[in-house]
Amino acid sequence: MSGVWLLSLEALDEKDVPVTLRFSTGQYHGDGQAWMPRMQQAGLYRAGLFAGDLLRVSRSGYGETTLINADGALNYLAGYALDGRRAELRYATGSEVIDVLVGTVARVSYQGRMISLRLRDPIETLQKPHPSTRYAGSNVLPDGLEGTDDDIGGTIKPRVYGQVRNAEPVQVNSARLIYQVSDQDCRVSAVYDNGIPLAFDGDYSSTAELQSTAPSQGQWSDWEPPAGKWRRYQGYIRLGSAPVGQITCDADAPVTNAGAVMAAVAAEAGAMIGDVSTLDAVGQLRLWVTDEVTTADLLDRIAISVGGYWRIDSSGEVQAGTLAVPDAPTLTLRDHQIIDISREATGAGQNGLPVGRVLVECDPIERTQDSLAGGVSEARRARLSKAVREAEASDASTLSRHPLADDVQIASRLATRDQGKALASRVLSLLSPRRDVLTITARVQDAGGLATGSTIRIVTPRLGYSSGRDLLVVGREIDTSRNRQTLELWG
C-alpha cells in the first residue's frame, strides 16, 4: 500500500499570530485537518548521534522539501516567519501514521513555480554562539570592573563550568589589582604568584567593597616574595600588593559534576534537558571558557569527557548519557523486512577492529608554567609543567587476539586521574569485545518510527544473525522518494 507524506510547520503569520501549516504529497483527511496536497518531494534527511570518536557517524541532519506553487497560491508564505520553528514529517498508510522526523526550518526559498523548505535537526538552534558577556571597556580608573578600550574592552568574559585549576584570571582593574576568573558566581579557593600560594584575607560582601577596600599587604618571609594577600567576591579576586610574576588561581562553580554542568550549559541556552544522572556519576569536570563558542561545542566537550553522547529528541529536549551496550529493543526487523544489509566492521576501532587500549587525558590545568618561584616544591613544578595527566587501560587478551587492535584517546576534562582511570576502564570494557557496525535499508513503514539512540533487534540468516542481534541506532537517512530508511547500527 502506497502512503502519503505529511509535513506540518509552525509559523507566525504577517501579524505575528501563531499558525500551523499542513502539506501532503496526496489527498489526506485521516485526522480531520485540512492538508494541502502540494508537496512534490518530501526530501532526503540525515541525522546521527554524537559520541565523539567512540562512534564513527556523521551527526548533521538536513533535508529539503519542495512545494508546488505553479498557481501562486502559496505566495503568502513570503510574509510568514518559519525559520527556527518546529517541522514534523510523518508517513501515513491507511489508518497508521508514523512519526518520522522532527526538526526546524532553516531556510525558505522561492524558485519559479516551486518553494523549497530546507529543514535541519533541532540541534541547529544550539549551533549558535553560547550566551556570554563582553567587557565594556568603560573603566574610569581607579574605578570600574570592565577594563578599558585599550586593554580588554570588547573581549569575552571568562566563565567557569565545574572547576578550573591554575587559570590565569583577567585583570579588570589595573589600578586596584582586581582580577576576574568567571563572570558567574564561583568560589576561588587559591591564588598563586609564580606558583607560590598567597595568603587568603577574607570575603567581600559586594562589588562596592571589592573596589573600596584593599586586602592586607602582608609581610615578606625573609627575602622570598610574594608578600601580598588576596580577597574574593564571587568570580573576582583582589590583591593586596603588586604580583612578582604570573598570577593564577583555582576556582569551583556551584555545580561540578558532569551532568549538572551539562544541564547548566543547556539552561543558559534556553534548552530543556532530560535525566543526566549517569553523567553525574562519572565525576567532576573542569571547563573554562574564555572565547566565543557554540552551545553545541560545549555539550560536545562534556560528552567526550565522560565517554558519553548527546542528542535532541522529538520534543526538542536534550538527551544525554554514557555510551553503553544496546538495551532492550523497541523494534525487531526480520529478514523479509530488510531490503539491504552490510557489515562494515566487527570492532569499534577506527580500523574496524576491537579496541585494545584506551588513553584518557584528565586532571587538566589551564596554564602550564616552567618559570616558578624558588619556594615551589618539586612535585608542584612537575604538575605545572604538564597541561594534563593521563590514565590508561589495556586488554591483553584483545591485543593477543588482534595484534592490530586500535587505540582510543579521549581528551577528557575530568578533574582527577582516578576518574580518568575509571573512564578508561569502562570504555575499554565497552569497545574491546566484538562490536558490529551495520548499515541496513528498510521500508519507512517498517522502521520509520525509530530515532537515533534507540535499540533495534535484527533477525536474519545473513551475517549470522539468525538468533537476532541487538544494535544501537546511531544514524539514519530517510529517502522519501522511495519510502526507504537507511539505518547505521552499532553493537
Side-chain angles (χ1 to χ4, degrees):
M1 177 186 298
S2 61
V4 177
W5 286 96
L6 308 173
L7 178 68
S8 62
L9 305 169
E10 301 299 323
L12 295 180
D13 68 12
E14 293 178 333
K15 296 181 179 180
D16 286 340
V17 176
V19 295
T20 300
L21 306 172
R22 297 177 176 89
F23 303 101
S24 61
T25 55
Q27 296 294 332
Y28 181 75
H29 306 283
D31 60 356
Q33 300 289 344
W35 293 83
M36 300 178 67
R38 287 181 171 266
M39 287 175 63
Q40 181 192 53
Q41 170 64 288
L44 184 72
Y45 300 90
R46 296 183 180 90
L49 183 76
F50 178 81
D53 291 336
L54 302 188
L55 293 176
R56 302 186 304 278
V57 61
S58 174
R59 176 177 58 188
S60 294
Y62 67 89
E64 195 158 6
T65 294
T66 52
L67 304 178
I68 300 170
N69 191 37
D71 56 358
L74 299 181
N75 287 344
Y76 68 90
L77 292 180
Y80 280 39
L82 292 97
D83 57 290
R85 290 179 169 83
R86 186 180 179 92
E88 295 184 6
L89 183 68
R90 291 177 287 174
Y91 186 68
T93 56
S95 60
E96 183 181 14
V97 178
I98 302 169
D99 294 324
V100 177
L101 178 142
V102 176
T104 57
V105 178
R107 185 185 67 206
V108 182
S109 60
Y110 299 80
Q111 304 165 353
R113 298 183 175 186
M114 308 301 297
I115 296 177
S116 175
L117 301 169
R118 188 172 179 84
L119 306 184
R120 293 299 304 260
D121 264 356
I123 190 179
E124 177 78 5
T125 59
L126 299 180
Q127 289 177 330
K128 298 184 295 185
H130 190 72
S132 61
T133 55
R134 294 178 182 269
Y135 288 108
S138 57
N139 283 7
V140 180
L141 294 176
D143 297 325
L145 299 173
E146 294 290 331
T148 70
D149 272 338
D150 295 329
D151 48 38
I152 60 173
T155 61
I156 295 285
K157 293 184 179 182
R159 186 173 298 173
V160 174
Y161 293 105
Q163 303 177 354
V164 68
R165 294 294 181 264
N166 213 52
E168 184 179 350
V170 177
Q171 188 176 63
V172 298
N173 186 313
S174 57
R176 290 178 171 151
L177 300 178
I178 300 175
Y179 299 75
Q180 186 177 33
V181 69
S182 181
D183 69 339
Q184 294 184 346
D185 189 21
C186 68
R187 182 180 181 276
V188 179
S189 56
V191 177
Y192 307 92
D193 185 350
N194 261 7
I196 296 289
L198 302 184
F200 178 52
D201 198 39
D203 289 292
Y204 292 114
S205 60
S206 65
T207 55
E209 186 184 11
L210 168 71
Q211 295 188 72
S212 65
T213 306
S216 303
Q217 289 194 353
Q219 300 294 322
W220 281 21
S221 175
D222 297 326
W223 65 89
E224 182 70 37
K229 295 185 178 183
W230 65 280
R231 296 182 69 181
R232 69 190 177 198
Y233 178 72
Q234 297 181 349
Y236 295 101
I237 59 174
R238 181 170 178 177
L239 306 185
S241 58
V244 174
Q246 179 63 58
I247 290 294
T248 59
C249 66
D250 300 339
D252 288 27
V255 296
T256 59
N257 286 341
V261 171
M262 179 174 276
V265 169
E268 287 176 354
M272 299 180 295
I273 192 166
D275 183 13
V276 291
S277 58
T278 56
L279 274 65
D280 275 336
V282 179
Q284 295 79 41
L285 284 188
R286 292 180 185 166
L287 188 57
W288 194 45
V289 178
T290 58
D291 297 302
E292 188 170 83
V293 63
T294 67
T295 302
D297 184 61
L298 291 177
L299 298 178
D300 288 352
R301 295 185 203 180
I302 297 169
I304 289 171
S305 293
V306 298
Y309 67 87
W310 75 277
R311 62 182 179 88
I312 298 182
D313 66 16
S314 60
S315 68
E317 187 173 81
V318 175
Q319 300 294 339
T322 54
L323 189 63
V325 296
D327 54 14
T330 58
L331 179 71
T332 297
L333 273 185
R334 302 187 183 278
D335 188 65
H336 69 278
Q337 298 171 298
I338 299 171
I339 297 172
D340 187 51
I341 182 171
S342 63
R343 181 166 53 210
E344 299 157 23
T346 56
Q350 295 293 321
N351 59 3
L353 293 171
V355 170
R357 176 175 173 267
V358 176
L359 184 69
V360 175
E361 296 176 352
C362 50
D363 186 18
I365 62 172
E366 299 303 323
R367 175 65 184 264
T368 58
Q369 293 178 270
D370 293 321
S371 178
L372 296 164
V376 178
S377 68
E378 290 302 317
R380 182 159 176 78
R381 286 178 185 274
R383 180 65 196 91
L384 295 182
S385 69
K386 297 181 181 296
V388 296
R389 294 201 294 167
E390 296 177 340
E392 179 185 332
S394 60
D395 188 298
S397 61
T398 299
L399 293 170
S400 175
R401 179 178 174 82
H402 300 282
L404 299 180
D406 205 2
D407 293 350
V408 168
Q409 184 165 341
I410 299 174
S412 177
R413 305 298 297 179
L414 285 174
T416 71
R417 191 163 178 269
D418 282 345
Q419 293 169 0
K421 288 178 180 178
L423 174 60
S425 178
R426 175 170 60 82
V427 171
L428 182 67
S429 67
L430 181 67
L431 303 186
S432 57
R434 169 184 163 182
R435 295 295 175 200
D436 287 4
V437 179
L438 301 183
T439 300
I440 284 182
T441 302
R443 294 177 301 170
V444 168
Q445 52 264 47
D446 290 328
L450 285 173
T452 54
S454 56
T455 298
I456 185 172
R457 173 167 293 173
I458 304 300
V459 181
T460 174
R462 291 177 278 182
L463 305 181
Y465 294 160
S466 295
S467 299
R469 190 174 183 91
D470 295 338
L471 297 141
L472 184 71
V473 179
V474 298
R476 61 178 184 151
E477 178 180 285
I478 303 164
D479 184 351
T480 63
S481 66
R482 298 192 295 171
N483 295 337
R484 292 183 177 184
Q485 181 166 214
T486 299
L487 303 173
E488 296 178 67
L489 307 174
W490 176 93

